[in-house]
Amino acid sequence: MQSLRLGYDTLVEIATFLARRWSEREKVIVEFSDKKETQTKIKDSKISLVSPERYIGDDFERYRQFRVSIWYEAMRVKFCKKILSNDHAFGFILNTLETRRIELLGRKIWRGMDEEIIFGYTYQWIYRPQLANVLGKTRIVEAFYQHFLFGDVKGEIQPSHAEKITRASARAKEIVREALEKKHDTEWLEKKVPEILGILDIDALVTIPLSVPWKAPGLAVTKQDLVKAVNKIAENREADFGKVDIKNVLEGKAVAEEFKVLREETRKSQNKGLGSEAIGIRVPGSTNVDETRIYDQDLISNLKTKFKEWKTSWKEQHVISGDEFDEESYVEGHYKPFLTDIKKSINAKIVILLDHSSSINDVQTQYKKATLALCEVLSFLKIRFSVYAFNTSQKQVVCWLIKSEDAKWNSATAKRLAQIEANGGTPLADVYQKMYPILRSKKPDIFLTLSDGEPSDPDAVRAMVKSLRSVGIKMVAIGIGHDTFSATKIASNLRYLDYERTLAVSRLKDIPNRVLSVLQAS
């Protein structure tokens, strides 16, 4: 959404946060799709949003539409048992009934959404086609959709069809009302769809060529058009929403501050530091990635508990003399019977480089789980860190930016990590060369490399390590092996490349502990 001045990473992060909060499903995945309509897969807990460029209006209006669309899909995840394809009349009618049901259910929980829902309906009304432009039986289905959700139709329709549409719309509202009163779900509604199709005299398999039509992004909507549409929706849906303050709907004050903060934070991030693309570092661009598969919640929770004292920056410790006398320790004969609070803080900035060469292919999921857990703990402890990875893509070594120092660790950065594939050799010297300008500019206290292989050019690596050390960066390497022997051997070989410190890891889950021990000693 270029004109919104919010990057895709930011939008994915916002969408994921809101979808999980509204649906109360922590494993919901959000992605952007090039398809013509938003799709939600209940079993996969995946929401595929239409490309944001499809919306019209100014930046703020487009953001509000984007936000409302997430709310509806989150309500589908929460309340729907199934979502059928919109390609045929049966599925289209069921999904239309469900839209009204989940909207009414969702509004009972999220009462502050009414003005945004009205605003969303306003633009949806603008997007719907004139009935004269819809051919055949599809015109009847489209007219039913408009009458049922918006309370009116766009354009003229022959009287015999109009009577069917009015009856079908009224009956559909009765069905939804009964579903709410008796707490029926999707499967009950599905059994009522043939009744609506019968009233409309439509075959269940009638093809719906375009269930969510969009106007061209460049098409202008005047202020008068918008006000007229808002008034129409507010009047037609007054029975559901009550008296609506049109001014509040148009201004969107409830969301305005949120949008302002997001845009300002994005501007700050864009203005910081060197551009990664300019120095040969790429950013993983795919958003349709399931990052939840590399979350090991048990490992993350255990690490956070273990290093909780770092969060407070203080630790109680037994000493020979101190501020407080511990009677139990004295009685038990401990030679340090006094207690004192020791200040613990990590002020070091750290850059982490992850080896994603082909040698980790067999264990890359566990490798990513361990490194993600590390990032979660570093973020939890408020340690300044950035993360990079390297592999070979299209026969060229690529250094990927997973998280910059100024960015937050979140679902968007986790998606970046999840999509890096293990491939290629270990050309550490080339990777260091690509990273050198940004390392020299940022000057981290520690540059930590995790690797499970032999560098392809040891002499070149040694020269780069010396060069980076000369600008005041502490160079540390962790050798990762399949067992203790191989890990120790890799770490031993890395030691000859002039790193200031080398460690060995044979169990991937030990990676976070090793890294944190490096920080503790710094």
Side-chain angles (χ1 to χ4, degrees):
M1 195 180 289
Q2 191 63 35
S3 64
L4 258 185
R5 301 177 183 88
L6 298 178
Y8 271 90
D9 283 353
T10 302
L11 291 171
V12 169
E13 180 187 353
I14 295 166
T16 301
F17 169 77
L18 291 175
R20 290 176 178 176
R21 179 168 180 260
W22 283 330
S23 69
E24 298 181 317
R25 302 287 192 275
E26 287 303 313
K27 292 188 177 181
V28 169
I29 304 161
V30 179
E31 63 183 22
F32 289 124
S33 169
D34 293 329
K35 295 180 180 178
K36 294 179 180 179
E37 62 177 350
T38 289
Q39 294 182 344
T40 294
K41 296 181 179 179
I42 301 294
K43 289 184 179 179
D44 298 334
S45 292
K46 179 182 287 188
I47 298 172
S48 299
L49 299 170
V50 296
S51 179
E53 284 90 349
R54 290 181 178 272
Y55 297 116
I56 58 177
D58 63 28
D59 289 353
F60 182 46
E61 290 165 350
R62 294 168 73 195
Y63 177 72
R64 291 176 72 187
Q65 294 173 69
F66 159 77
R67 197 173 181 274
V68 170
S69 70
I70 298 165
W71 184 82
Y72 272 98
E73 298 314 307
M75 293 304 98
R76 292 188 197 281
V77 171
K78 185 175 180 65
F79 295 116
C80 292
K81 287 288 184 69
K82 64 171 71 171
I83 300 173
L84 300 184
S85 169
N86 278 322
D87 292 343
H88 297 95
F90 189 96
F92 184 75
I93 296 294
L94 175 62
N95 295 340
T96 302
L97 297 178
E98 281 286 68
T99 295
R100 194 179 184 94
R101 185 179 75 92
I102 60 104
E103 173 191 297
L104 294 171
L105 286 170
R107 286 177 55 231
K108 292 179 181 178
I109 304 170
W110 304 101
R111 297 181 182 276
M113 283 297 297
D114 279 11
E115 290 175 0
E116 292 306 300
I117 292 171
I118 291 292
F119 182 82
Y121 267 128
T122 299
Y123 264 103
Q124 287 300 316
W125 172 256
I126 291 170
Y127 293 138
R128 301 313 296 189
Q130 291 288 331
L131 293 179
N133 298 327
V134 184
L135 304 177
K137 294 286 188 178
T138 306
R139 180 185 299 172
I140 298 175
V141 179
E142 173 63 28
F144 165 76
Y145 179 91
Q146 293 182 12
H147 195 282
F148 178 63
L149 291 180
F150 305 107
D152 201 354
V153 296
K154 297 181 75 170
E156 299 294 328
I157 192 164
Q158 63 189 72
S160 61
H161 289 165
E163 189 271 334
K164 292 177 183 177
I165 289 158
T166 302
R167 283 199 299 119
S169 179
R171 179 57 185 143
K173 290 175 184 177
E174 291 174 359
I175 290 170
V176 171
R177 191 179 306 117
E178 184 179 353
L180 293 172
E181 289 173 354
K182 297 183 178 180
K183 298 182 179 180
H184 292 311
D185 60 17
T186 309
E187 293 172 348
W188 183 86
L189 274 183
E190 187 176 11
K191 295 174 182 177
K192 299 294 181 179
V193 172
E195 186 179 344
I196 303 300
L197 291 170
I199 296 172
L200 294 173
D201 192 21
I202 293 292
D203 187 277
L205 297 179
V206 165
T207 301
I208 309 299
L210 187 60
S211 57
V212 183
W214 297 90
K215 295 197 173 186
L219 184 67
V221 175
T222 66
K223 185 71 173 179
Q224 290 74 20
D225 293 335
L226 195 59
V227 171
K228 184 179 178 180
V230 170
N231 277 288
K232 176 181 283 291
I233 297 299
E235 181 181 349
N236 292 345
R237 294 297 303 270
E238 186 174 351
D240 294 316
F241 290 89
K243 198 71 176 176
V244 175
D245 189 321
I246 303 300
K247 183 180 178 183
N248 285 347
V249 171
L250 290 169
E251 290 180 350
K253 289 183 178 179
V255 184
E257 189 61 30
E258 172 187 316
F259 178 71
K260 180 181 177 182
V261 170
L262 288 169
R263 191 164 57 178
E264 181 63 22
E265 288 300 314
T266 301
R267 184 189 65 78
K268 289 178 181 178
S269 296
Q270 290 172 343
N271 290 338
K272 287 181 179 179
L274 296 172
S276 58
E277 289 289 344
I279 59 173
I281 296 174
R282 290 161 59 180
V283 178
S286 180
T287 59
N288 58 341
V289 178
D290 178 8
E291 80 280 11
T292 61
R293 64 188 173 87
I294 62 170
Y295 272 88
D296 186 333
Q297 293 296 349
D298 289 339
L299 177 59
I300 293 169
S301 298
N302 290 338
L303 287 168
K304 286 183 177 180
T305 300
K306 181 176 181 179
F307 293 97
K308 184 172 62 177
E309 65 193 34
W310 289 17
K311 180 80 171 175
T312 61
S313 300
W314 291 95
K315 179 185 179 182
E316 198 173 61
Q317 186 169 312
H318 281 90
V319 290
I320 296 174
S321 62
D323 306 322
E324 182 182 348
F325 183 68
D326 185 353
E327 294 178 357
E328 290 185 7
S329 293
Y330 179 77
V331 170
E332 291 174 2
H334 294 296
Y335 71 97
K336 294 181 178 179
F338 288 89
L339 290 170
T340 189
D341 289 328
I342 304 297
K343 178 72 173 175
K344 295 176 68 68
S345 62
I346 304 295
N347 297 316
K349 290 192 300 183
I350 182 170
V351 173
I352 301 170
L353 176 64
L354 308 172
D355 180 351
H356 274 70
S357 56
S358 56
S359 52
I360 71 156
N361 187 60
D362 294 341
V363 294
Q364 63 174 313
T365 299
Q366 296 303 315
Y367 180 54
K368 288 174 181 175
K369 284 183 177 181
T371 51
L372 183 142
L374 167 63
C375 294
E376 287 283 332
V377 176
L378 291 175
S379 177
F380 170 73
L381 297 175
K382 297 185 178 348
I383 293 172
R384 292 173 294 171
F385 72 103
S386 53
V387 185
Y388 297 80
F390 70 87
N391 67 357
T392 299
S393 177
Q394 298 178 345
K395 299 182 179 180
Q396 288 190 335
V397 59
V398 180
C399 184
W400 302 96
L401 172 62
I402 306 299
K403 178 197 173 297
S404 65
E405 179 187 327
D406 302 315
K408 294 180 180 179
W409 179 260
N410 50 41
S411 61
T413 48
K415 283 179 185 292
R416 292 181 182 179
L417 175 61
Q419 66 190 272
I420 305 297
E421 293 297 325
N423 187 42
T426 312
L428 270 182
D430 292 342
V431 176
Y432 286 169
Q433 189 67 50
K434 289 177 181 292
M435 295 181 67
Y436 185 80
I438 201 164
L439 291 168
R440 189 177 179 88
S441 170
K442 296 287 186 180
K443 288 189 178 176
D445 299 294
I446 300 170
F447 181 21
L448 174 66
T449 302
L450 276 70
S451 180
D452 73 335
E454 297 289 336
S456 53
D457 189 344
D459 291 336
V461 173
R462 188 180 296 107
M464 286 302 306
V465 169
K466 286 183 178 179
S467 182
L468 289 165
R469 288 181 62 178
S470 69
V471 297
I473 300 172
K474 183 176 181 180
M475 299 295 290
V476 180
I478 295 182
I480 304 169
H482 296 294
D483 51 41
T484 304
F485 176 77
S486 62
T488 304
K489 182 179 178 183
I490 293 169
S492 177
N493 291 337
L494 290 171
R495 191 174 298 116
Y496 291 106
L497 299 177
D498 279 343
Y499 289 99
E500 291 180 59
R501 188 177 179 189
T502 58
L503 300 91
V505 170
S506 58
R507 297 190 308 169
L508 294 173
K509 286 190 175 184
D510 287 340
I511 288 174
N513 285 309
R514 287 286 190 275
V515 176
L516 290 165
S517 71
V518 171
L519 288 172
Q520 193 173 27
S522 63

